[in-house]
Amino acid sequence: MPDFTIVVGSRHWSSWSMRPWLVLRRTGASYDEVVLQHRTPAGKAEAVALGPTGQVPLLIDRRTQVPIKVWDSLAICEYLAECYPDAKLWPVDPVARATARSISAEMHAGFRPMRMALDMDLFALKPGVGLDEPGVAADIARIDSIFRDCRTAYGTDGPYLFGQFTIADAMFAPVISRFRTYEPALSDLAGEYVATMLGDAGFTAWEDAARREL
Ligand SMILES: N[C@@H](CCC(=O)N[C@@H](CS)C(=O)NCC(=O)O)C(=O)O
């Protein structure tokens, strides 16, 4: 039996599921998946039966006699970082790590106007739709500045926000999908980072699995 089970929602829409799934994949751990159509009554009932919140994602660690359940995307990422220190899921440098944690928490708790107006719809192309909704431009500008600032300050040893892939990249991965769908204007540096993430092996593996879900 694999060490972990990750319960995710439909890969087309479950932005919260995408994040820890990308991180789990980076650990190299063995895992299997349960994919719930979380927007349907049947999928919701399954989620309620599996975890305490009735939401996805949910991680089940089966390495212990009594399996450990971890819910909420950021908590799952933190748990995996603790289980797999060699995977360097957070930056090694303490200043970079503090920044990575801050922007990950900012993503987790914030950007509500953008998240509400620009739904993740993995393969859809809807250029311009929703961009003039209240608060959306400010959210996009803030994300653009996060991408620019991290790439400039910490991105010298690789193409990701902190050089090598970290949890921060996973936390912003659904935003990458949204930017492809709604095509807001971005700075050159932010646009380059979006292109990097669209070509990331984990991101494209998520897309491949979504195609098989259809
Ligand atoms: N804060 C949670 C949010 C989880 C969440 O909202 N999941 C959505 C799917 S992306 C869900 O389960 N929706 C179904 C529902 O709430 O009934 C996390 O970070 O994991």
Side-chain angles (χ1 to χ4, degrees), residues 34 62-63 66 76 81 123 131 137-139 157-158 176 196 200 209:
V34 174
R62 301 191 182 284
R63 296 171 302 164
V66 178
I76 296 171
F123 298 118
L131 296 180
D139 279 357
D157 72 335
I176 303 296
T196 291
D200 171 72

Side-chain angles (χ1 to χ4, degrees), residues 15-61:
S15 56
W16 294 111
S17 300
M18 185 183 198
R19 298 168 166 109
W21 185 90
L22 289 173
V23 172
L24 177 58
R25 193 179 173 281
R26 286 269 172 175
T27 64
S30 62
Y31 65 93
D32 59 12
E33 302 171 355
V34 174
V35 183
L36 304 181
Q37 295 304 317
H38 63 282
R39 291 180 168 187
T40 68
K44 178 69 185 173
E46 283 180 79
V48 167
L50 283 168
T53 61
Q55 290 190 320
V56 286
L58 171 74
L59 183 77
I60 305 172
D61 182 350

Side-chain angles (χ1 to χ4, degrees), residues 52 57-61 68-72 74-77 79-80:
L58 171 74
L59 183 77
I60 305 172
D61 182 350
I68 299 170
K69 291 188 178 182
V70 190
W71 58 94
D72 195 283
L74 189 52
I76 296 171
C77 293
Y79 183 79
L80 291 170

